[in-house]
Amino acid sequence: MKDVAARAGVGLKTVSRVVNGEAGVTPDTERRVQEAIEALGFRRNDSARVLRKGRTASIGLVLEDLADPFYGPLSRAVEEVARAHGALLINGSSAEDPEREQELALALCARRVDGLIVIPAGTDHRYLEPEMRAGIATVFVDRPAGRIDADAVLSDSFGGARAGAAHLIAHGHRRIGFIGDQPRIHTAVERLRGYRAAMEDAGLVVDDAWVSLGSTEPARVREATAAMLGGPNPVTAILAGNNRVTVTAVRELAARERPVAFVGFDDIELADLLGITVIAQDAAALGRTAAERLFRRLDGFDDDASRTVLETVLIPRGSGELPPAP
Amino acid sequence: MKDVAARAGVGLKTVSRVVNGEAGVTPDTERRVQEAIEALGFRRNDSARVLRKGRTASIGLVLEDLADPFYGPLSRAVEEVARAHGALLINGSSAEDPEREQELALALCARRVDGLIVIPAGTDHRYLEPEMRAGIATVFVDRPAGRIDADAVLSDSFGGARAGAAHLIAHGHRRIGFIGDQPRIHTAVERLRGYRAAMEDAGLVVDDAWVSLGSTEPARVREATAAMLGGPNPVTAILAGNNRVTVTAVRELAARERPVAFVGFDDIELADLLGITVIAQDAAALGRTAAERLFRRLDGFDDDASRTVLETVLIPRGSGELPPAP
DNA sequence: CTGAAAGCGCTAACAC
DNA sequence: GTGTTAGCGCTTTCAG
């Protein structure tokens, strides 16, 4: 910038004015500055700008895995809102590892992102308190924060799972299995609660062998499926606790001869063609809502932390309407 | 940092040394500094650090749409490599708009990312020349750069499409349709070339009505499908030019009574259960390879721009092996 | 082993 | 309209 000023024969501040489109520069001067900029291939260094202005015009998003089809649309929705506010998005995948989540979140804070959106892997977010006090707005999505008070935007996991299980019960099932994510994860627990609530509503007693929480690794899900279907008291229907479980369970059930009713949590591509009944949540709406809340905070809005819960929708497509196999 | 120094009763530089784990500080002094850091909730401001050091330890990725299941895994793979090199990843979606691609790429350069990975939407990247001269390493993925010389990591679109079309021909088809992406996009053109090459190899003449390039919007793809199947010289098989087209085409074909053979480009989740034959490319390998090349450049490696082409794999699952309907 | 001073590239606040 | 000065928070250089 100094070089540009020298070459254009003007002061530093004039160049700054031109670069930032501020008023108060004669067209002639402006032209000279523009020429110098072109000639030198000058591009403003935003790092320096940030240092001076205090705002980075960027926000951070910590999620579990960008490669998961649930998080892609969520991230994209966040990006769109950020873009509308002139901000860039830095994302990081925690790989469902609490330590990595913390490391990432703090790295983003060190970069002085203006705000942070977190899909937590861990259950204790007190490490973010100093950062939040220091002014980094933080919103949690998909799962609430642990041990701190912070905004959260969630799907109605409890209600969705309850509706899914109730749907299977309405179609005649009495022995229903639930395969969910790790019990450390809030949504997994909520969905299990929803399943239990529906069973209880119908006066059904849940056999321990029908419930399996754990990793979403295909091998684990396959085992869980086999166990539920093969035991002394086999289930006639299965409710899956998230999109990864759904995919593996669907594959597993397709390989069996006896039909098993099935409801998945999260819609997945081509589930329509396969006739898979699902409880759909709107990943993009989650991201959008969280980002909007974040930017409202960045715009100075400052009331208490709030929790927003988005509805889920049960989409019947066939698999959830199968009667119990004899 | 100044505050920390004051509180610990030491010089600024000593705090800096402690924060950065540099040698040359007595354990006792270090402890005092650490205490002050804790007490004040100090966190180094990386913006200032960047300004001084010149490197941001971040790279930018401009892609088409993070919500597209093809780009999620690609982005995640880039992130993993970046992480291994201690860098963060800033992504942006161009929405297949060349102007937005440029705007994004330049915004990333203004942030002084150390390197840039671009999945181009546009066909002219001369706007990046000043940036590259200024030292921002740049690698193109999935599609090559236009009008500049730069590293590129691509899939073998030509070979993949050719193999796909040849596969259909080998199963008895003579009238084969091709539905691809916009002709502005390199991969769309390459895949069309591959299709034409296979047809020519087999001595088949392509009817203009069998080829349709354009947007991947479902409506457009549906129309293209209907036109190919409904015309005076209807096709008995269709080759899709990318994953979005594949999804819509599969839905469309499933809704018809007469079977139509089908090969998709890009594997999609659950395609196995639907028996969809595809030409698979490895999105994660594309991302990983590109990121590795980028970091090699950042490490000072400096030979000519190179082009890497990754193989595609044809996965037969049934739809591509159907004989021509009578 | 430690600290003071200079300056990275920019913008805010005030001159002129 | 335009230029000058100070300083954002850190690291580098060099002196103690």
Side-chain angles (χ1 to χ4, degrees):
Chain A
M1 198 156 189
K2 205 176 49 191
D3 300 343
V4 174
R7 186 179 172 112
V10 301
L12 203 58
K13 179 63 201 176
T14 303
V15 178
S16 174
R17 273 194 262 265
V18 171
V19 168
N20 295 301
E22 286 168 32
V25 183
T26 13
D28 183 55
T29 316
E30 174 161 359
R31 198 185 37 70
R32 285 218 319 288
V33 172
Q34 286 292 8
E35 275 171 19
I37 288 177
E38 294 283 316
L40 270 52
F42 168 84
R43 225 49 68 79
R44 180 180 66 197
N45 183 333
D46 277 1
S47 298
R49 176 168 225 250
V50 155
L51 186 57
R52 197 61 241 255
K53 304 203 78 154
R55 280 216 169 182
T56 54
S58 61
I59 65 172
L61 172 61
V62 178
L63 38 70
E64 189 217 322
D65 178 6
L66 209 41
D68 184 319
F70 179 72
Y71 296 109
L74 192 155
S75 178
R76 175 69 200 273
V78 171
E79 188 198 338
E80 287 303 319
V81 176
R83 179 177 143 84
H85 289 261
L88 287 177
L89 178 64
I90 309 182
N91 3 33
S93 301
S94 70
E96 208 62 274
D97 172 353
E99 269 187 50
R100 194 163 153 182
E101 170 213 304
Q102 174 168 348
E103 183 193 305
L104 259 170
L106 291 179
L108 291 166
C109 290
R111 300 290 171 104
R112 294 293 189 271
V113 290
D114 297 333
L116 201 55
I117 298 183
V118 181
I119 295 165
T123 55
D124 185 351
H125 298 93
R126 284 174 299 179
Y127 71 88
L128 276 174
E129 274 179 331
E131 315 295 334
M132 291 170 72
R133 262 200 306 278
I136 297 185
T138 305
V139 175
F140 287 74
V141 205
D142 189 43
R143 311 166 187 170
R147 315 191 65 171
I148 62 170
D149 196 36
D151 286 325
V153 177
L154 313 172
S155 277
D156 182 13
S157 285
F158 174 79
R162 183 183 203 161
H167 187 73
L168 289 167
I169 294 168
H171 283 274
H173 296 274
R174 296 294 168 262
R175 301 195 307 279
I176 302 172
F178 177 84
I179 308 179
D181 210 335
Q182 321 254 28
R184 164 165 52 80
I185 298 173
H186 181 261
T187 49
V189 176
E190 283 298 292
R191 290 169 196 176
L192 175 57
R193 273 213 314 125
Y195 157 83
R196 286 196 188 280
M199 295 296 273
E200 195 172 324
D201 290 346
L204 299 171
V205 177
V206 175
D207 185 325
D208 282 348
W210 299 346
V211 171
S212 170
L213 296 193
S215 120
T216 60
E217 286 298 310
R220 205 283 297 181
V221 174
R222 267 198 299 273
E223 264 172 46
T225 312
M228 285 177 196
L229 293 173
N233 197 13
V235 301
T236 62
I238 289 180
L239 176 63
N242 84 359
N243 69 341
R244 298 298 83 202
V245 172
T246 297
V247 167
T248 303
V250 163
R251 283 214 177 92
E252 197 55 19
L253 296 183
R256 305 192 162 246
E257 67 296 343
R258 192 159 54 96
V260 177
F262 181 82
V263 173
F265 213 108
D266 286 352
D267 204 359
I268 46 183
E269 195 155 74
L270 296 182
D272 53 335
L273 287 186
L274 287 163
I276 304 170
T277 298
V278 299
I279 303 142
Q281 40 177 340
D282 188 340
L286 279 173
R288 197 182 324 115
T289 309
E292 279 163 358
R293 163 136 239 110
L294 186 72
F295 280 101
R296 215 169 315 136
R297 289 236 178 255
L298 291 179
D299 289 347
F301 176 82
D302 189 35
D303 65 354
D304 288 346
S306 78
R307 180 172 290 202
T308 307
V309 178
L310 304 185
E311 289 307 298
T312 57
V313 183
L314 191 139
I315 307 176
R317 293 195 181 115
S319 74
E321 295 74 47
L322 290 175
Chain B
M1 199 154 189
K2 205 175 48 190
D3 300 342
V4 174
R7 186 178 174 113
V10 300
L12 203 57
K13 177 62 202 177
T14 301
V15 179
S16 174
R17 273 193 262 264
V18 171
V19 169
N20 296 301
E22 287 168 32
V25 183
T26 13
D28 183 55
T29 315
E30 173 161 359
R31 198 187 36 70
R32 284 220 315 290
V33 172
Q34 286 292 7
E35 274 171 19
I37 288 176
E38 293 282 316
L40 271 52
F42 168 83
R43 223 56 60 80
R44 181 181 64 198
N45 183 332
D46 277 0
S47 299
R49 175 168 226 249
V50 155
L51 185 58
R52 202 59 245 256
K53 304 204 76 151
R55 279 217 169 181
T56 54
S58 60
I59 65 172
L61 172 60
V62 178
L63 38 70
E64 188 217 321
D65 178 7
L66 209 41
D68 184 319
F70 180 72
Y71 296 110
L74 192 155
S75 178
R76 175 70 199 273
V78 170
E79 187 198 339
E80 286 304 318
V81 177
R83 180 176 143 84
H85 290 261
L88 288 177
L89 178 62
I90 310 182
N91 346 43
S93 301
S94 69
E96 208 63 273
D97 172 353
E99 270 186 49
R100 194 162 153 182
E101 170 212 305
Q102 174 168 349
E103 183 193 305
L104 259 171
L106 291 179
L108 291 167
C109 290
R111 299 292 172 104
R112 294 294 188 273
V113 290
D114 297 332
L116 201 55
I117 298 183
V118 181
I119 295 165
T123 55
D124 184 350
H125 298 93
R126 285 174 298 178
Y127 71 87
L128 276 175
E129 275 180 330
E131 315 295 335
M132 291 170 72
R133 262 200 306 277
I136 297 186
T138 305
V139 175
F140 288 74
V141 204
D142 190 43
R143 311 166 187 170
R147 315 190 65 170
I148 62 170
D149 197 34
D151 285 324
V153 178
L154 313 172
S155 277
D156 182 14
S157 286
F158 175 79
R162 184 182 204 163
H167 187 74
L168 290 167
I169 294 168
H171 284 274
H173 296 273
R174 297 294 169 259
R175 301 194 307 278
I176 302 172
F178 177 84
I179 308 180
D181 211 335
Q182 321 254 28
R184 163 166 55 80
I185 299 172
H186 180 261
T187 48
V189 176
E190 284 298 292
R191 290 169 195 177
L192 175 56
R193 273 212 313 124
Y195 157 83
R196 286 196 187 280
M199 294 296 274
E200 194 172 323
D201 290 346
L204 300 171
V205 178
V206 174
D207 186 325
D208 282 349
W210 299 346
V211 171
S212 170
L213 295 192
S215 121
T216 59
E217 286 297 310
R220 205 283 297 182
V221 174
R222 268 199 297 273
E223 266 173 45
T225 312
M228 285 177 195
L229 293 173
N233 198 13
V235 300
T236 62
I238 289 179
L239 176 63
N242 84 359
N243 69 341
R244 298 298 85 204
V245 172
T246 297
V247 168
T248 303
V250 163
R251 284 214 177 91
E252 196 57 18
L253 296 183
R256 304 190 162 247
E257 67 296 345
R258 193 158 53 97
V260 177
F262 181 82
V263 174
F265 213 108
D266 288 350
D267 204 0
I268 47 185
E269 195 154 74
L270 297 182
D272 52 335
L273 287 186
L274 288 163
I276 305 171
T277 297
V278 299
I279 304 142
Q281 41 177 341
D282 188 340
L286 279 172
R288 196 182 325 114
T289 309
E292 278 163 359
R293 164 137 239 108
L294 185 72
F295 280 102
R296 215 169 315 135
R297 289 236 179 255
L298 291 179
D299 289 346
F301 176 82
D302 189 35
D303 65 354
D304 289 345
S306 78
R307 181 173 290 203
T308 307
V309 177
L310 304 185
E311 288 307 299
T312 58
V313 183
L314 190 139
I315 307 175
R317 294 195 181 116
S319 75
E321 294 73 47
L322 291 175

